[in-house]
Amino acid sequence: MKYIDEFQDPDLARRLLDEIHATVTRPWALMEVCGGQTHSIIRHGIDQLLPDQVELIHGPGCPVCVTPLEVIDKALEIASRPEVIFCSFGDMLRVPGTGRDLFQVRGGGGDVRVVYSPLDALRIAQQNPDRQVVFFGIGFETTAPPNAMTVHQARKLDIRNFSLLVSHVRVPPAIEAIMRSPSCRVQGFLAAGHVCTVMGVDEYPELAERHRVPIVVTGFEPLDILEGVRRTVAQLERGEHTVDNAYPRAVRAEGNPAARAMLEDVFEVTDRAWRGIGVIPGSGWRLSAKYRDYDAESRFSVEGIRTCEPAECRSGEVLQGLLKPNECEAFGTRCTPRTPLGATMVSSEGACAAYYLYRRLDTTPAAREASPVG
């Protein structure tokens, strides 16, 4: 398939690996920000094919995983109400809240529906004027524009029985928080290509300069990731720390101006809690005053819900890159996709799910002579 197969070529992968091996002279720790990149890395064994000196640290780039427990509990409370039709993408239904998840709410009689677009939820609201329809709006800058557009449409069409439960987060403040952590080992970043497709790269040069780390915008196929690693390592070896776009087929410096304008109109920046990490200043969005009537959290008066993370789950350390999933004592035993302790084992982009799916069940390094791509 064009634009897919050509970025999975084993011969080209070997050439990139040879260049990385020839370039690296000392240990470097790089963080891939996006959960989609993490899954590609683990699926294809890219981390095991790189030189021993290059470590890939998995970052907090899974939108399901970083949705805080208190927001999940707010969703559960709203979804349990008889007047509500609660709409969500399917990957949120198994995320554990306090004692239950959205699947269990549905099993108990709650009207919880899986949709494929927020506009589907808006159509359900039009078809059910006597019910309250809530869409669970989570994610990074990538999913925020369609959610913003849906609220914009609801206001334009005067659809009053639709609202949005918002838990949107932003990548640059998370990078800032990671670099300010006393335990940070990250020396370079592979930035999420799809986020930059929307937002461009305006916010990254200041971060790269302030923390003296290269930031390379990277795609998701094996060759994309290897090229991102190659460029990051080359910068580190030269003592440079600039922003480099290694995903030009999708990312322009200015991003998507129409999407950015929609975000600016519908949302405003706010502090946001990240599951397992805590509150990061300026790291999220909430509905702006113009659209505040569509805020489900206010509409259903669930602002006061507070929760505590289960002590046994170490997903917060995984999300911060302090722990590999298979280094957790519960991984693969008490915590599996069927019996998850945390969201990192549930989400299709979670690091724990990637390690479980691709059988990284222990920390023993695999043979590095394996084929570079599947």
Side-chain angles (χ1 to χ4, degrees):
M1 183 182 295
K2 188 171 176 60
Y3 301 126
I4 298 295
D5 291 346
E6 62 192 52
F7 290 95
Q8 296 184 354
D9 186 305
D11 293 331
L12 291 177
R14 177 57 62 192
R15 286 167 55 184
L16 284 169
L17 283 164
D18 288 344
E19 286 191 48
I20 296 168
H21 277 266
T23 301
V24 67
T25 63
R26 51 176 291 192
W28 300 111
L30 318 181
M31 174 175 280
E32 84 276 359
V33 175
C34 175
Q37 292 171 338
T38 299
H39 271 253
S40 187
I41 288 165
I42 302 304
R43 176 186 177 188
H44 297 286
I46 291 172
D47 56 330
Q48 296 176 327
L49 294 163
L50 291 169
D52 291 338
Q53 300 99 312
V54 178
E55 178 187 2
L56 294 181
I57 299 173
H58 314 314
C62 165
V64 175
C65 303
V66 301
T67 303
L69 183 58
E70 66 184 59
V71 174
I72 303 297
D73 281 357
K74 289 173 183 177
L76 296 170
E77 167 63 23
I78 294 170
S80 299
R81 301 192 182 189
E83 74 274 20
V84 169
I85 300 173
F86 194 88
C87 299
S88 173
F89 294 141
D91 55 2
M92 292 304 299
L93 268 64
R94 288 292 308 280
V95 179
T98 302
R100 56 180 179 161
D101 57 32
L102 284 168
F103 262 131
Q104 290 169 308
V105 171
R106 185 163 73 174
D111 195 344
V112 177
R113 305 186 189 184
V114 174
V115 295
Y116 297 95
S117 163
L119 289 173
D120 292 341
L122 190 60
R123 281 191 287 272
I124 292 171
Q126 289 176 299
Q127 295 162 1
N128 296 270
D130 59 334
R131 305 281 300 279
Q132 288 290 325
V133 177
V134 180
F135 179 73
F136 200 177
I138 71 155
F140 291 92
E141 294 94 332
T142 319
T143 56
N147 292 345
M149 181 183 66
T150 303
V151 175
H152 176 83
Q153 281 293 101
R155 185 173 183 270
K156 180 180 178 181
L157 299 172
D158 196 29
I159 300 172
R160 300 298 183 92
N161 64 321
F162 173 84
S163 58
L164 190 70
L165 181 60
V166 183
S167 186
H168 280 302
V169 288
R170 303 171 56 240
V171 169
I175 292 177
E176 176 75 29
I178 288 166
M179 292 308 301
R180 289 187 178 277
S181 171
S183 56
C184 176
R185 299 187 298 111
V186 179
Q187 296 163 293
F189 286 93
L190 305 182
H194 50 9
V195 169
C196 296
T197 300
V198 175
M199 301 301 294
V201 298
D202 294 350
E203 296 181 90
Y204 292 105
E206 183 180 353
L207 284 169
E209 180 62 31
R210 181 162 59 251
H211 298 290
R212 303 186 68 81
V213 291
I215 300 175
V216 178
V217 179
T218 307
F220 306 91
E221 296 302 321
L223 295 189
D224 289 323
I225 293 168
L226 288 171
E227 175 64 5
V229 171
R230 186 192 69 82
R231 294 193 189 195
T232 308
V233 168
Q235 280 203 49
L236 289 167
E237 291 284 341
R238 295 193 300 265
E240 298 175 359
H241 47 273
T242 63
V243 177
D244 186 10
N245 181 11
Y247 198 37
R249 70 183 186 276
V251 173
R252 297 180 298 176
E254 69 276 17
N256 184 322
R260 294 180 67 172
M262 181 62 69
L263 290 171
E264 187 173 345
D265 178 46
V266 175
F267 291 124
E268 63 185 24
V269 172
T270 186
D271 299 344
R272 182 67 72 183
W274 295 53
R275 188 166 192 171
I277 297 174
V279 175
I280 300 177
S283 67
W285 278 305
R286 66 180 178 184
L287 290 170
S288 63
K290 181 178 175 181
Y291 296 92
R292 199 64 53 79
D293 289 345
Y294 293 90
D295 183 2
E297 191 170 340
S298 297
R299 182 174 294 188
F300 295 96
S301 300
V302 291
E303 298 98 327
I305 291 178
R306 296 291 182 267
T307 56
C308 294
E309 293 284 351
E312 189 178 17
C313 181
R314 303 182 69 184
S315 61
E317 294 168 83
V318 173
L319 290 168
Q320 295 176 73
L322 304 176
L323 185 78
K324 293 290 195 293
N326 53 14
E327 295 170 346
C328 173
E329 298 82 357
F331 175 80
T333 55
R334 297 183 301 282
C335 183
T336 70
R338 285 185 175 273
T339 58
L341 292 176
T344 49
M345 183 59 87
V346 177
S347 171
S348 60
E349 293 189 0
C352 296
Y355 273 61
Y356 191 91
L357 177 63
Y358 300 115
R359 313 308 291 170
R360 295 286 187 88
L361 303 183
D362 58 51
T363 56
T364 305
R368 292 181 178 268
E369 290 77 19
S371 173
V373 291

